[in-house]
Amino acid sequence: MLDGGVDRVRELAASAGSKVTADVFLRVQDEEPVPAFLHSALCAMSLPTKQPEDDTQPIVREDGKYALAINPRPVLQNINGKSVMRSLGVPYGSYPRVALIYLLSQAVLNKSRDVYLGRNFTEWMRRLGYQTVSYGPRGSANRMREQVDRLLACEWQIRWDESDAADSAFAVRDVKLSNEYAGSLSKNGSFAREIRLSEAFYSHLIDHAVPLNEVAIRELKTTPTALDLYTYLAYRLPRITEEKGQVISWDQLAKHLGNAADSKRLRQTVRETMQLVSAVYPTANVDMSGRKVVLHPSPAPMERKLVGPHLRLVGASTEKAPRSSVIRKERVRKNPGEGAEPLLAFPEGSLSYGEREKAFRAIGLSKGHPWSVDEMANAFRKGFPGYKRPRAEAEWLRVWEAFVISYAERRANRSED
């Protein structure tokens, strides 16, 4: 991305046959991160991506110490004027994933079992990031309502056994996410403005919530495999301590994802999907090029840390309402003289002259030798469209140093070839 710019990124995305675009990367990079959360067990084990052949049957998935069972319990419905017990089926696809992340995020952020949805179903869907809400037979609102009804009608069993620490094992048995919810059947139909999470599930959620970036969720919201891969890596990568990383088989990875495709097709889908996930989680260090998958230690999506060649400072303060951090940031920009460091663009022109340019030139000479400092600066400006965006000087110097190191390594490798 740094050497070729936006056009090169689009070219690579097209050749990879994936949906990733430079626009996704830049949107996530330029927007203030917003904290979101998901239960760790639901990061490790996902819902089905497609409707099962018999969706009234329980879904049971396990991999070693993890086990997840989703049981679609019958609910009382009025059909043709008669009250009948009917199973809605297990939830599947992207809609219940997005809804679940929203519900659990609000519960964690507000420290409350009661989650406010909105004045009506349309308002709630817009809170989830769906700007166009339609109410036709296959409209987005009705599809979301159907999946949320399925999600909240199910009973869940979660089991998680840690072999090295007995006190960290836990089990959640026969629990509903919520016992108080009524879906909207039409545009102006009845709608429960609040959902109350069950006490058993909520108590486990507070202890086992995995931080995510809501901005990334919005970008991935239409692709269930991307959501599964993102949440799994967000949970797994920050917990790896071995420097060489951990190696897992493709079959093992498949057990963590809701995609039930055959092995060959799954590998292709996951590799293509990883391009999109990398755009929203650029600090995720994963190698999927071989017969095994190698997971390397990586910062969490909300952690403020620059890794390798990535020009992405991920993370923000998670103090209460996330929008307050945006407001504080704007105030700093408007009043740089009130004790805050001024925000500036990356230097224009040559780095060989000027007081401010000295620090950038010193990094170029020490970290990028023997390559020309100005040549590197031109490559940086060409490959990083946000170089005119105001940032703190310390942040620019960190970004510039990471780029210089990466640039020098790539040029050295080309010379050896």
Side-chain angles (χ1 to χ4, degrees):
M1 296 191 85
L2 299 179
D3 286 338
V6 172
D7 291 339
R8 177 58 177 157
V9 171
R10 291 197 174 102
E11 179 185 336
L12 289 172
S15 66
S18 69
K19 297 180 181 179
V20 65
T21 65
D23 295 334
V24 172
F25 175 86
L26 295 173
R27 279 198 300 269
V28 175
Q29 179 203 27
D30 289 337
E31 191 167 345
E32 188 78 9
V34 178
F37 297 91
L38 185 63
H39 194 295
S40 57
L42 300 177
C43 290
M45 290 290 178
S46 304
L47 303 171
T49 58
K50 296 182 179 180
Q51 185 173 10
E53 187 173 340
D54 184 356
D55 61 1
T56 64
Q57 295 299 309
I59 295 292
V60 180
R61 304 180 59 235
E62 59 182 331
D63 179 29
K65 61 188 178 183
Y66 310 109
L68 172 67
I70 307 172
N71 188 14
R73 304 294 293 178
V75 297
L76 184 64
Q77 290 190 319
N78 188 308
I79 300 178
N80 297 326
K82 294 183 179 181
S83 296
V84 297
M85 293 295 290
R86 174 174 170 266
S87 173
L88 302 180
V90 296
Y92 63 88
S94 60
Y95 287 113
R97 287 165 165 81
V98 174
L100 189 58
I101 292 172
Y102 174 86
L103 295 175
L104 304 193
S105 298
Q106 292 300 305
V108 173
L109 289 169
N110 296 323
K111 297 182 174 63
S112 172
R113 291 168 54 199
D114 296 313
V115 178
Y116 176 73
L117 302 183
R119 292 171 297 179
N120 51 57
F121 209 84
T122 299
E123 179 179 302
W124 183 52
M125 287 200 65
R126 286 180 176 155
R127 284 171 178 262
L128 298 177
Y130 298 92
Q131 297 305 313
T132 302
V133 182
S134 57
Y135 282 84
R138 298 300 297 165
S140 59
N142 285 334
R143 293 169 69 186
M144 173 63 83
R145 177 199 55 77
E146 176 192 353
Q147 291 300 324
V148 171
D149 287 350
R150 288 173 176 242
L151 184 73
L152 298 177
C154 287
E155 286 186 347
W156 302 65
Q157 291 188 34
I158 302 171
R159 184 161 186 83
W160 190 313
D161 296 314
E162 292 281 4
S163 59
D164 57 344
D167 60 351
S168 63
F170 70 86
V172 183
R173 295 186 178 89
D174 298 327
V175 61
K176 284 189 175 183
L177 300 183
S178 170
N179 294 319
E180 301 177 27
Y181 170 75
S184 173
L185 300 178
S186 64
K187 187 173 183 178
N188 298 313
S190 61
F191 178 66
R193 298 180 182 181
E194 287 189 354
I195 289 180
R196 169 167 287 188
L197 299 185
S198 65
E199 187 172 357
F201 187 83
Y202 174 74
S203 63
H204 280 279
L205 169 65
I206 296 301
D207 293 333
H208 300 279
V210 174
L212 308 170
N213 184 357
E214 182 186 302
V215 180
I217 299 299
R218 291 204 301 266
E219 294 294 339
L220 305 178
K221 68 179 181 294
T222 61
T223 311
T225 298
L227 289 167
D228 290 349
L229 190 57
Y230 171 77
T231 55
Y232 172 67
L233 295 178
Y235 154 70
R236 192 72 194 91
L237 296 182
R239 289 164 173 76
I240 297 175
T241 56
E242 300 88 344
E243 286 189 16
K244 62 181 181 180
Q246 289 188 352
V247 178
I248 63 173
S249 68
W250 281 96
D251 287 341
Q252 285 177 303
L253 179 61
K255 291 179 179 179
H256 292 282
L257 306 179
N259 195 315
D262 61 76
S263 180
K264 185 176 181 180
R265 180 181 296 181
L266 178 68
R267 292 189 190 192
Q268 179 181 353
T269 299
V270 171
R271 282 172 174 151
E272 292 175 355
T273 302
M274 188 61 204
Q275 298 292 326
L276 180 58
V277 173
S278 294
V280 302
Y281 187 5
T283 52
N285 191 354
V286 182
D287 183 358
M288 295 183 171
S289 61
R291 296 183 178 180
K292 299 282 188 178
V293 177
V294 185
L295 307 175
H296 296 282
S298 306
M302 290 296 294
E303 185 176 344
R304 183 176 291 278
K305 186 174 182 181
L306 189 65
V307 175
H310 296 300
L311 292 184
R312 177 76 173 99
L313 284 170
V314 183
S317 172
T318 57
E319 300 174 2
K320 294 187 178 180
R323 295 194 180 277
S324 64
S325 61
V326 179
I327 295 172
R328 286 195 303 273
K329 186 174 181 180
E330 292 302 319
R331 286 174 179 169
V332 169
R333 290 186 178 180
K334 291 179 181 179
N335 303 286
E338 298 177 11
E341 183 179 355
L343 304 182
L344 304 169
F346 185 80
E348 296 278 6
S350 173
L351 298 183
S352 299
Y353 310 99
E355 279 302 312
R356 184 189 173 213
E357 287 74 9
K358 283 183 180 180
F360 291 88
R361 179 170 178 77
I363 291 174
L365 291 174
S366 62
K367 305 291 185 180
H369 182 79
W371 313 108
S372 165
V373 175
D374 283 342
E375 183 179 337
M376 288 188 288
N378 288 334
F380 178 79
R381 298 184 190 102
K382 182 179 179 181
F384 186 40
Y387 79 93
K388 292 185 178 181
R389 176 185 173 187
R391 300 173 185 266
E393 192 78 332
E395 183 176 331
W396 272 128
L397 291 172
R398 287 195 298 270
V399 171
W400 168 243
E401 181 175 350
F403 171 79
V404 168
I405 293 172
S406 176
Y407 182 95
E409 289 178 350
R410 289 196 298 271
R411 290 295 298 268
N413 292 336
R414 291 174 191 169
S415 300
E416 292 174 0
D417 294 340

